[in-house]
Amino acid sequence: GENVEQHPSTLSVQEGDSAVIKCTYSDSASNYFPWYKQELGKRPQLIIDIRSNVGEKKDQRIAVTLNKTAKHFSLHITETQPEDSAVYFCAARDNYGQNFVFGPGTRLSVLP
Amino acid sequence: DTEVTQTPKHLVMGMTNKKSLKCEQHMGHRAMYWYKQKAKKPPELMFVYSYEKLSINESVPSRFSPECPNSSLLNLHLHALQPEDSALYLCASSQVGEDTQYFGPGTRLTVL
């Protein structure tokens, strides 16, 4: 089955700096890669996603890049703000289409 | 309505109790999911219902019994749980064959 790794496990940045989180996946048939943000005690919220037919997607300060050959994808947050502090999970959807496999998460702290 | 709701928000139960978790969505989604999330860990898939039929059971112990009485409701019946079953139980929904899963706020379960 699919296996998703995520790095780093914790990340601290100064407000205004950029943050990058990287994930790798094992199943070359996976074709959908969402990123979720989860604040303490809250539900995971989808912040951006990318499909395997696209190499990059951007939404304001957030962007995701996908390298299918290397089987890795990355989340880029620019001009970070304290409210960006949360745990971020990447995920990969297997070819069956229903099973999301999540990465272990990255705790991002944006220091004012 | 673009929200998944879950009740109760918190539940404390003994190992001999029987209780149920409830999830509801009115987005017309025909795929619904139960996830278990332990502290500082990613969500782990438990069950998937597609068109009200169980399509994935990720080897979950029989003390967890899912039920999908109609296209808007998903229940998780709990019986004879163990303290290690204490976790946040998340429900999610999506269109069948579509990518984006929407999560409910979760039920925080404590088993004494």
Side-chain angles (χ1 to χ4, degrees), chain A residues 4-110:
Chain A
V4 178
E5 297 184 355
Q6 185 172 346
H7 298 281
S9 57
T10 60
L11 178 60
S12 293
V13 299
Q14 289 294 133
E15 182 177 359
D17 288 350
S18 296
V20 180
I21 303 171
K22 298 181 179 180
C23 287
T24 60
Y25 61 99
S26 60
D27 187 350
S28 57
S30 290
N31 56 13
Y32 173 66
F33 308 93
W35 285 91
Y36 284 86
K37 173 185 180 182
Q38 188 174 28
E39 297 176 68
L40 190 63
K42 301 284 184 66
R43 76 186 80 191
Q45 295 267 20
L46 178 71
I47 56 171
I48 197 166
D49 56 12
I50 192 166
R51 290 170 177 78
S52 57
N53 59 347
V54 175
E56 183 173 357
K57 183 177 178 181
K58 189 173 182 180
D59 182 4
Q60 299 182 344
R61 298 186 295 109
I62 295 173
V64 56
T65 58
L66 171 65
N67 183 326
K68 285 177 57 179
T69 304
K71 291 190 283 189
H72 66 71
F73 56 111
S74 299
L75 177 71
H76 305 254
I77 305 175
T78 59
E79 301 173 23
T80 53
Q81 301 166 2
E83 51 265 38
D84 294 328
S85 297
V87 178
Y88 290 80
F89 292 103
C90 62
R93 188 193 71 175
D94 69 5
N95 201 39
Y96 186 78
Q98 293 181 311
N99 189 2
F100 275 25
V101 177
F102 284 84
T106 296
R107 181 170 299 278
L108 173 65
S109 299
V110 180

Side-chain angles (χ1 to χ4, degrees), chain B residues 28-105:
Chain B
H29 292 168
R30 300 301 295 276
M32 297 185 77
Y33 313 77
W34 280 115
Y35 287 86
K36 174 182 178 179
Q37 187 177 26
K38 301 281 279 185
K40 300 184 179 181
K41 297 290 186 182
E44 292 182 13
L45 186 67
M46 300 174 71
F47 303 104
V48 180
Y49 273 83
S50 180
Y51 296 111
E52 296 85 66
K53 294 192 186 313
L54 185 64
S55 59
I56 294 179
N57 176 342
E58 292 287 354
S59 303
V60 179
S62 60
R63 57 186 183 268
F64 295 91
S65 175
E67 178 196 21
C68 191
N70 61 55
S71 60
S72 301
L73 281 174
L74 184 67
N75 298 321
L76 186 62
H77 303 297
L78 314 173
H79 174 56
L81 295 193
Q82 304 296 310
E84 58 265 29
D85 296 322
S86 298
L88 180 68
Y89 288 84
L90 293 161
C91 172
S93 71
S94 73
Q95 293 286 9
V96 175
E98 292 194 9
D99 299 324
T100 306
Q101 291 190 11
Y102 297 88
F103 282 87

Side-chain angles (χ1 to χ4, degrees), chain B residues 8 10-21 63-65 76-87 89 107-112:
Chain B
H10 302 275
L11 178 63
V12 179
M13 60 186 291
M15 290 189 284
T16 59
N17 292 156
K18 287 184 181 182
K19 297 286 184 182
S20 297
L21 310 184
R63 57 186 183 268
F64 295 91
S65 175
L76 186 62
H77 303 297
L78 314 173
H79 174 56
L81 295 193
Q82 304 296 310
E84 58 265 29
D85 296 322
S86 298
Y89 288 84
T107 293
R108 187 159 299 282
L109 173 68
T110 302
V111 182
L112 301 177

